[in-house]
Amino acid sequence: MSGNVELLNDTLAKAKAENRAALIAYLPAGFPTVDGGIEAVKAVFDGGADVVEVGLPHSDPVLDGPVIQTADDIALKGGVKIADVLRTVREAHAATGKPVLVMTYWNPIDRYGIERFTAELAEAGGAGCILPDLPVEESGVWREHAEKHGLGTVFVVAPSSRDDRLATITAAGSGFVYAASLMGVTGTRESVGASAEDLVRRTRATTELPVCVGLGVSNAVQAKEVAVFSDGVIVGSAFVKRMLDAPDHAAGLVAVRELAAELAEGVRRAS
């Protein structure tokens, strides 16, 4: 069975045709439970997200801030496994028909087996992977298997990336390019920063792939700001924080659905 990279491509192209940015949400699998996490992903889609990244919880999430680290810790203490991540992808995609990616550090895939992981992710209906810590130079075997199974490979670029490095990274990627708006770990911020716009401009000079901006966006105002110059707005910590702050799971689902609706309006107001 082939994965859904074409669904991802079509979804981003549809947003562009509507003269707006796509809304891409992130939630970790297994948080607050496996079933609860699946419900949360569905709620975010119901609220208006175009794409969801399902995080594979990691014991040492070096690029993630305290909010996502807290959620990962809850998921790991609950015993979340890669099979649960794949189940989250399968059930969320089956329920919505929308593209679902996995965002993961490289080590869990390396241990699980590249062929096994790509085959099972494709079978689950996944659209691909975001791999923030896999160097492009070491990604050949992964990309070969991902392409064979119809999966996208999304690499991350940062403001510190030089133009020649941007070209190397974007030439190897597919689906879209994840532009980290600033240096540092994930988390909500008061301002997304002017560096993001410059990074998008420099990245677009190297590729036809959509360029989507993440790290720091937490509300509709910021989503609108970023949507003006990017192809997609990526929001993670703000969704996780809504779940963490909710008095119970039902309230958390309402909260993330409402945030998705606010952000979806924000990316549309930019048009």
Side-chain angles (χ1 to χ4, degrees):
M1 180 174 175
S2 182
N4 275 311
V5 68
E6 287 306 320
L7 175 62
L8 175 64
N9 295 340
D10 292 346
T11 299
L12 294 172
K14 182 174 181 287
K16 184 176 183 179
E18 294 172 359
N19 194 30
R20 66 174 179 87
L23 174 59
I24 303 174
Y26 166 93
L27 283 167
F31 167 72
T33 62
V34 176
D35 288 344
I38 292 167
E39 290 175 338
V41 173
K42 292 178 184 177
V44 167
F45 272 134
D46 288 345
D50 298 291
V51 180
V52 169
E53 307 169 7
V54 171
L56 195 161
H58 195 274
S59 57
D60 185 26
V62 293
L63 298 177
D64 293 311
V67 170
I68 290 175
Q69 285 187 23
T70 298
D72 276 8
D73 190 48
I74 290 168
L76 291 167
K77 284 179 177 175
V80 70
K81 302 286 193 294
I82 286 181
D84 299 314
V85 178
L86 295 168
R87 181 185 153 213
T88 302
V89 172
R90 178 182 292 105
E91 294 196 16
H93 171 66
T96 64
K98 294 185 178 180
V100 184
L101 297 148
V102 170
M103 185 164 190
T104 178
Y105 295 95
W106 179 245
N107 185 254
I109 292 178
D110 197 31
R111 288 203 310 265
Y112 196 75
I114 298 172
E115 170 59 24
R116 180 185 177 194
F117 186 86
T118 51
E120 291 181 7
L121 180 57
E123 189 276 329
C129 265
I130 302 167
L131 300 163
D133 67 338
L134 177 63
V136 170
E137 292 79 6
E138 299 172 20
S139 69
V141 175
W142 161 267
R143 286 188 285 126
E144 177 186 333
H145 286 286
E147 187 172 345
K148 179 175 75 173
H149 289 291
L151 300 169
T153 300
V154 177
F155 289 111
V156 179
V157 297
S160 59
S161 303
R162 293 169 45 164
D163 290 354
D164 57 345
R165 183 65 184 162
L166 289 175
T168 299
I169 294 170
T170 59
S174 54
F176 63 92
V177 182
Y178 188 127
S181 65
L182 32 74
M183 301 305 294
V185 297
T186 58
T188 61
R189 290 176 171 82
E190 293 300 314
S191 171
V192 178
S195 61
E197 186 168 1
D198 179 63
L199 176 58
V200 170
R201 178 189 60 76
R202 291 194 299 119
T203 304
R204 278 184 172 154
T206 71
T207 183
E208 295 297 314
L209 289 172
V211 182
C212 304
V213 173
L215 299 199
V217 178
S218 61
N219 57 51
V221 172
Q222 292 173 334
K224 179 181 179 182
E225 173 193 340
V226 173
V228 169
F229 59 81
S230 73
D231 299 299
V233 178
I234 304 168
V235 181
S237 296
F239 282 112
V240 176
K241 190 171 189 306
R242 291 280 180 110
M243 294 289 290
L244 287 169
D245 290 347
D248 55 49
H249 182 58
L253 295 178
V254 171
V256 295
R257 187 181 293 111
E258 288 178 347
L259 177 59
E262 293 165 14
L263 293 165
E265 184 182 344
V267 299
R268 285 166 174 80
R269 282 206 303 262
S271 60

